[in-house]
Each structure stands twice: as structure tokens, then as C-alpha cells.
Amino acid sequence: MSPQNSRHAFVKPPRAARRPKVSTWHGVELVDDYAWLKADNWQDVMRDPAVLDPEIRAYLDAENAYCEAQLAETKPLQDELFAEMRGRLKEDDSSVPTADGPYAYYSGFVAGGQYPLIYRSNRDGSGEVVVLDGNREAEGKAYWDLGGFEHSPDHRLLAYSIDDKGSELYSVRVRDLTTGEDLPDIVPDTRGGVVWASDSRTFFYVRLDDNHRPLQVYRHAVGTPSDEDVLVYDEKDIGLYVAINATQSAKYITIDAHDHRTSEVRIIDADAPLSEPVLITPRRVGHEYSVEHNGDKFYITTNSHDAEDFRIVEAPVSAPGEANWREVIPHRPGCLILDTILYRDYMVRLERENGLPRIVVRRLSDADEHIIAFPEEAYSLGVHPGYEFDTTNVRFVYSSMTTPAETWDYDMQTRNRVLRKRQQVPSGHNPADYVTRRLYAPARDGETVPVSILYHKDTPLDGSAPVLLYGYGAYGISIPASFSTTRLSLVDRGFIYAIAHIRGGKDKGYRWYTNGKLAQKVNTFTDFIDAGEYLVAQGLTKRGHIVANGGSAGGMLMGVVTNMAPDLFLGIIADVPFVDVLNTMLDKDLPLTPPEWPEWGNPIASRDEFSIIHSYSPYENVEAKTYPHIFAYGGLTDPRVTYWEPAKWIARLREKNASDNLVLLKINMEAGHGGASGRYEQLREMAADYAFALKIAGLAAKQKEKAA
């Protein structure tokens, strides 16, 4: 499986200048030859990409030109893939309306439109109006992202947030829903979300500081200048994030200060927005909890009392401290409580056990419970709480790797379910043409790693098929075995698509997360390698026929496994990869460094944690050896994984790589962490990824096999 011959094969790749920067930590000397690629004015670049140092820009432009030249022969294939992917989209699709009092709200697209529209109708579906047209708002902008939108309780105003740089600095605006005109209010530098108070004239938001950190909650009064906004909460620990939300009852606004292992919640009475926040219970390291409300009680999902997979307690609103907590749902080891929602008469919780999600509905009056689950080997299930509290209806969305998404409304009282929407695939999709399975790969320490796989029924399982193996493995985030229209383009061409549910996520409970972080982070990497080895051992593919893919923290995974087991992989697709881990964790001024220390370790304060990160950090561990094909992607204004991480990594790989395999870097000069903002441009980026995979697998010239 060698790449096709290319007329661009002899184009000379860019070579970054080596300008060693030397630092010493815990007696260890670090030499960073490419530190100069980090712009000194990176904060300014986030706000205005035009101020990027011309020398850095010239190097990134050269990398982009080289990447384009090397993939030029795949341009027809990229166009074909894009057309397929677009053909599977219902271009004028819309979400199911969600009722709130006299109205219902929903989002959708128009044919040919890149960006969403927000609609409102009467509750019965009549009187539809467009309250926000993303295509019109984005006119003339290279990047546009709708961060969030919330209507006021009286339905007269809409607060919405916009980022037009990709740097996740959202400006909040307020629209009069009667006139359709925006008010003068503009609130800059927010995290994107707002929560309204009951008076429909006051909202709360999180402001980002100069280092891009969400540490402060402000209160804004509609019709007043943003510089008069009142500071409500100021978090002094720069290692925490601050978020705001509202209970399902809309009675309380919550302020949550948290990192990846500790949380602390305060509440504000939505009927008294000028009141001071009230603390539920003080933080202590390792205690995580969240708060919901019903009547005169708070319901708290907590890992206190060694409840690793969480339990639920209740406490009086008048005295919510931990001393007054009474257990309602006990801890069940291995059964992870993912979410808890309180309605007037029911509690709904989303759980995961043995890698599969389920919904449990509990009637509050008598504690009677019943379960909503599905029979497939691997599937995705999510709960959409809606706007209303006094309702018996809960909405959930179900899909699997072969089954398009289905949106159901479920009556918790009658237990009847109504299908509100089934995802349409305009170009056609027959689930019977595909097979999805859940395998369990033995890890080297005796654990088993779930692996979800998808393939066309006609794909030979004799080892000849290439595999795209996806992984993430961080922050407790689990990757669902959900439906995707894009990956069908790979599967239809003979690829097996696989998801390795590795440690670092919570696929097998909370311990699956803790066993893949800090000192045990290596389990994430070896799990992924062991999953790939298992697919080879089962005869599904061969060594050197696997294309690995991951993004962000999953991009770090890509960098590590490339160093650890390069011969297992044919290629690596690393999207916004977190590959300069050690240098980033040593730079306390970067936006996310202090909040990330509980996930990776603090190499500044701890020699041991320095040594652990140093042992696997992809950039530091690039060696003079044969590497597989590599395609890395970054965004210039990305505040999460800064552009210089993939740029430095690729520069060092170019220097050390002993093979003539492709080593490519593409930096989107007009986007951030999420890539291009328009839905079609996102498909074009996916088409480029898949064209790369097909090229190196020798399948780029083959026509798509039509399903029978």
C-alpha cells in the first residue's frame, strides 16, 4: 500500500530555520529549535490575524502551498468526496421545534446556505418567522460562528453571540423579536453563553480575561453600556474554568467553577438577579458535583463518599450544604451517571454501563423507575431536556453507526414514544448494506478496550482492507458509536472504520478516565496501539494498513503513537493536534495551561510530572527513524491548540524522518479550533482528510463501489 505516483513528488518541502532556545527544568535541559514559530504577540493575533509576524506567516504559507501541491492529484477525488458528502445532507434540514409556553424554537438551514437560521413559530407550528439568519449575518466574513442564543422568558428578546475570527471571543448582541432589529447592546469577549433572569431585562455571562480564561461572571442590564456591567463572581484560581447555566425549573442560575477533578457551585435566584450568589458546598480537591432543582429541594449529582461513578442526593433549598445531603440514588460501581434532569414530577438520568448508554425515568412521587435502552451492539443516545419544567415529555436522540439519527418524544407518564424526525439521507442509505460490531481488544495489562467498527457488507475481512482507526482518550469524553454520513465515503471504498474507546474517556465508567490521565496517561496510548494490533490479529487488516485519526487531545494521541509504534500505521491524520505538550504545560501564561494541569500534570511544580510528560510529549520524542505518512491540520486563531504546536511538530518531523513518506501541514489562516465555520467548508476539510487516507492506501484512483 504505497501512495500513488505524483507529479508533485519532487516538490521541495519547506524547512523551518533552526534557532535553538534552551531552558532548564528540574536539571533537564530542553532545546527547542522551533520556538520562534510561536508569535510573541499571539494574544493580538487571536483578535487580528493580520498582525502575525511576516516571517512566521511566510513559513505557514509555504507549508500550505507544499501541502496543496502534494495533494493536487487528489483534487478530483476531493471534489467527488465533497459531492457525495453534500449529497447526503438534507440541505434545507431543520431541528424538531422545542416548545416553550406559547412558542416553539428551532434551527435549520436553507439549500445552499452555509450557516444556520433560528426560527420561532407558535406552539401549534403556525406563524413561522426567522429570528436570526446566519447566512445574512456572515456576509463578507471569512469566518462566522454562532456561539449560542437564548430567548428571554417573556419571548420579547433574543440574546445571541458571534465569533468572526475563530478565536472563541464571542460578542453578545440583543435582538428585539418584535421589530427584528438589534438593540445597541454589544457585550464583547464573552465565552458565548448567556442565562436570563426572570425579569427578561437582565442576563448573566462569563467574560474572558486577557489570557483567554473564563474566570469572571458579569450581570448585564439590557439598554446599558457593557462597561457598566456588574461583576458577580470573580474566580481567583486561574486553574479553574467558570461556567453558567440554569436549572431546568428556570428558578436558579448556577455558577460552576471547575477543573477536570474538582467543582464548586453557587446559585442565584432568577427572581432576584441582584442578590449575591449562594454557595452550595465548598470545593475540595477531587469532589465533583452538579445541581438541579425541584420545589423546595436541590438534587445534587456527586462523587462524594467514594462514589466514583456518582450518586444523587437531595438537600433543602434553605440549607443546601453537604451536611444536609440525603441520598436518593446510591452509587453503583461501573454504572456512570452522565446527566441528571429534574422535571416537575420526574427525574431523568442518563447512565452508561458496559459501554452502552441508557435513560432511566424516575417518578418522584413514589420512586418508580423504568429504563429506555436499545438492542444494538453499539449505539449513541442523548437526552434533550427542552425548555419546559412542567411537562411529562422528554426528548431523546438515538443513532448507531448504521442507523441515521432518530429524534423521539417520550411521554414519561404514559410511556408512549413518538418519532418526531428521522435523519434523511437524500442520496440514499440502506442500513442493511453496512455492518456495525462491538469488539473487545485485550490490553497489555489485562483490561479490554471496546472497539466499535463499521464496514460495508461486501468488504472482505481477509486482512486486505485498510482501517481508519479513530481515538480521543482525554477529559473523560466518550466517543459515541453514532451515525455519520461522511464516513460512508471511506467505508464504501473499502475502508473499515473503527473507534477505539480507550482509557482517558469514561466509556467503561469513571475509572476508565482516571486510569488514562496523569501518571497513568500511558494507558491511553497503549490501549490505542493494542486496539490496532487486535484488528490485525483478528485478520481484519494488516500491520501498516491502518490510518490513525484524532484531533485536539486526540491529536496528541496521534503524535505519541506515531513515535511509539510507527510501523503499525500507514498514515496519521492529526487534526489541531496537541503535540507540544511539555512546552505548553510549562507556559503558565497560555489560556488553558493552569486548568489543564489536573489532566496532564504540572511540570513546573513537580519533577515527577515533568518526567512523565517529557517521556511521551510528541514533539520532544520525535526521533531519527522511519515515520508513516502524516497530515496535520491547525488553525491560526485557535486558542485551545495554538497553531505553533502542529507547525513545530511538522518542522521537527521533517528534520528527523528517515522515510520519504508524506509529511504535510495545513494551517487554516482564517479559522480556529473547529476549522472552517461554514457547513460546506467543513465538508471540504473532511474530504481532504479522506482523500489523503485513500491516496496513501492506494485507493485514490478506484471508483466508489456501488451498494447492491
Side-chain angles (χ1 to χ4, degrees), residues 178-452:
T178 301
T179 66
E181 299 296 323
D182 284 347
L183 302 180
D185 304 62
I186 299 178
V187 183
D189 297 345
T190 80
R191 200 177 188 186
V194 305
V195 179
W196 287 96
S198 302
D199 62 7
S200 295
R201 303 300 299 174
T202 306
F203 64 76
F204 296 81
Y205 64 92
V206 176
R207 182 179 293 176
L208 301 182
D209 67 10
D210 291 339
N211 281 338
H212 226 95
R213 293 177 182 144
L215 296 173
Q216 297 176 323
V217 175
Y218 278 83
R219 183 177 68 238
H220 178 76
V222 174
T224 64
S226 63
D227 58 10
E228 295 180 6
D229 290 355
V230 176
L231 177 64
V232 173
Y233 177 74
D234 186 11
E235 176 55 56
K236 300 301 184 183
D237 186 344
I238 62 171
L240 297 183
Y241 304 91
V242 174
I244 54 171
N245 214 319
T247 58
Q248 185 68 21
S249 66
K251 174 64 176 172
Y252 291 97
I253 296 154
T254 62
I255 299 173
D256 176 17
H258 62 279
D259 57 21
H260 299 297
R261 62 181 177 182
T262 303
S263 56
E264 181 180 75
V265 179
R266 289 168 170 80
I267 55 101
I268 296 174
D269 188 333
D271 293 331
L274 304 186
S275 60
E276 291 295 315
V278 175
L279 178 65
I280 296 293
T281 196
R283 72 188 69 171
R284 61 178 184 274
V285 174
H287 183 208
E288 297 180 69
Y289 69 97
S290 59
V291 178
E292 258 286 15
H293 166 254
N294 181 290
D296 60 357
K297 297 175 182 176
F298 288 124
Y299 286 80
I300 300 158
T301 305
T302 170
N303 67 351
S304 60
H305 293 190
D306 299 319
E308 182 180 52
D309 290 310
F310 292 84
R311 64 191 183 112
I312 300 174
V313 300
E314 63 180 24
V317 166
S318 58
E322 195 167 355
N324 300 315
W325 291 3
R326 185 183 72 82
E327 188 168 86
V328 177
I329 305 294
H331 174 237
R332 289 180 53 208
C335 181
L336 177 64
I337 299 175
L338 299 167
D339 196 11
T340 307
I341 306 161
L342 266 295
Y343 296 97
R344 190 191 70 175
D345 298 319
Y346 294 91
M347 172 194 293
V348 175
R349 63 184 189 272
L350 180 64
E351 301 177 341
R352 184 185 296 113
E353 188 171 21
N354 295 323
L356 292 177
R358 66 180 178 221
I359 296 168
V360 182
V361 178
R362 178 186 181 93
R363 189 164 54 214
L364 295 175
S365 61
D366 59 5
D368 178 69
E369 292 190 351
H370 63 277
I371 293 173
I372 304 171
F374 294 86
E376 291 195 71
E377 285 187 45
Y379 61 85
S380 171
L381 184 64
V383 179
H384 291 224
Y387 294 117
E388 297 184 323
F389 176 69
D390 187 2
T391 180
T392 61
N393 186 74
V394 64
R395 179 169 293 166
F396 64 84
V397 176
Y398 164 82
S399 75
S400 75
M401 294 176 79
T402 58
T403 306
E406 298 174 347
T407 302
W408 294 84
D409 278 350
Y410 181 80
D411 191 308
M412 295 178 281
Q413 181 173 300
T414 66
R415 304 192 184 184
N416 291 329
R417 64 178 71 177
V418 176
L419 179 63
R420 296 296 306 276
K421 178 184 177 181
R422 179 176 283 117
Q423 181 182 356
Q424 296 182 34
V425 183
S427 60
H429 173 68
N430 182 4
D433 288 337
Y434 303 91
V435 179
T436 184
R437 295 169 56 192
R438 174 65 66 90
L439 307 178
Y440 292 90
R444 61 194 65 186
D445 64 353
E447 289 282 3
T448 56
V449 181
V451 182
S452 300

Side-chain angles (χ1 to χ4, degrees), residues 118-133:
I118 309 304
Y119 299 92
R120 183 173 77 176
S121 69
N122 295 321
R123 191 181 183 100
D124 63 6
S126 65
E128 176 184 276
V129 295
V130 176
V131 298
L132 184 71
D133 183 343

Side-chain angles (χ1 to χ4, degrees), residues 4 73-74 77 80 493 691 694-704:
Q4 300 170 1
E73 68 176 0
T74 70
L77 176 60
E80 180 182 329
R493 287 174 170 80
L694 290 162
K695 171 184 170 70
I696 64 176
L699 299 177
K702 293 186 179 181
Q703 294 296 313
K704 173 186 174 184

Side-chain angles (χ1 to χ4, degrees), residues 439-451 503 526-527 529-531 533-535 537-538:
L439 307 178
Y440 292 90
R444 61 194 65 186
D445 64 353
E447 289 282 3
T448 56
V449 181
V451 182
R503 276 175 278 191
T526 56
D527 280 359
I529 293 169
D530 292 344
E533 297 280 11
Y534 182 71
L535 296 178
Q538 292 298 296

Side-chain angles (χ1 to χ4, degrees), residues 4 73-74 76-81 83-84 88 456 488-495 694 698-707:
Q4 300 170 1
E73 68 176 0
T74 70
L77 176 60
Q78 291 184 45
D79 292 342
E80 180 182 329
L81 291 167
E84 284 178 14
R88 297 190 192 103
H456 194 278
L488 296 177
S489 289
L490 272 185
V491 173
D492 285 346
R493 287 174 170 80
F495 262 84
L694 290 162
L699 299 177
K702 293 186 179 181
Q703 294 296 313
K704 173 186 174 184
E705 296 179 7
K706 299 295 184 182

